[in-house]
Amino acid sequence: MKKKLYFEVFILSSMLLPVLFFSCKNNTTETKLIYSENNTIKQAVKNKEQEISWTTELAPERLTADISRTSVNISQDILYNVDLIKVISNDNVPVFPELEDFGSLDISKLNPSANEKINEFCEKLSKNLYSGADSYFSRKYIFNYVFFRNDLISGWKENFGKKIPEDYNKEIKNIESESKDSDEKNKKSEKKEELKPLFSKWILGEPFIGAELMQIPVRFYTDCGIIDMTMFLSSGGNYEFYQITIDRWKKV
């Protein structure tokens, strides 16, 4: 009878022991998780916050600025949105015109001294192909001016269907010829001033400026049409000319 009782107690104990062990294990794990979430992470956040060095705002007035619809002078038919803000913020950006087959007329990056020298050269070129304009070229590249002048004279006939104006082409060379008579020189100088310039006007386009060389498009207007050229100059110093290319002829 005792053996049977001991055996039943042993069986009952064997059944209850795993239940108690499992229950204790769960309680222990839950306690550790609660401790980890409520203390370990919280402490890590506090430590991280203490390590951050905060600075004062750069533009505090922007934080309090009124950017509501009523603060901007806008039509009631226009919705105030992010795209509109971009337009308003760029309303002071200059807009430069562009010409077809030529490009932008933005010369804001061009040095005033370079701008002045280019216009002086164009004026000299318009008055006399044979003397004056060549002085703007670097002595090392003076032959490039001769090539350019010959291309201009020959291209005039090919593209405009006529020779370069006779009164300009011939009279200039005659006026430039030497004369011993001072009175005759004075008369020729006066006649030279009366000659019609080769170009009626010219405009400068947006330049490309490198470290040592700048490239500037120039459009010339004549009675026959339009001539687009590109001028190559030194980027600094006295802005010497290196080369001129004729890019486009357009007859009108």
Side-chain angles (χ1 to χ4, degrees), residues 43-67:
Q43 188 62 39
V45 172
K46 288 184 177 180
N47 294 339
K48 192 67 176 179
E49 185 178 12
Q50 293 175 356
E51 294 174 359
I52 298 175
S53 299
W54 298 97
T55 60
T56 56
E57 59 272 22
L58 297 177
E61 66 280 357
R62 293 190 178 185
L63 299 177
T64 58
D66 183 10
I67 58 172

Side-chain angles (χ1 to χ4, degrees), residues 157-197:
K157 171 65 175 177
E158 295 174 3
N159 295 277
F160 293 151
K162 61 176 69 175
K163 292 182 180 180
I164 201 165
E166 292 294 324
D167 59 342
Y168 184 91
N169 195 21
K170 290 182 178 179
E171 290 294 338
I172 285 293
K173 287 189 286 187
N174 292 334
I175 291 172
E176 292 299 325
S177 62
E178 294 183 359
S179 175
K180 296 180 181 180
D181 189 350
S182 59
D183 291 337
E184 187 178 350
K185 281 185 177 181
N186 292 334
K187 290 180 182 179
K188 288 186 176 181
S189 296
E190 292 176 0
K191 188 175 182 180
K192 180 180 176 181
E193 294 296 328
E194 295 174 358
L195 289 177
K196 184 179 180 180

Side-chain angles (χ1 to χ4, degrees), residues 2-3 29 76 119 134:
K2 289 182 179 180
K3 289 183 180 181
T29 303
Q76 294 297 322
N119 279 284
D134 57 333

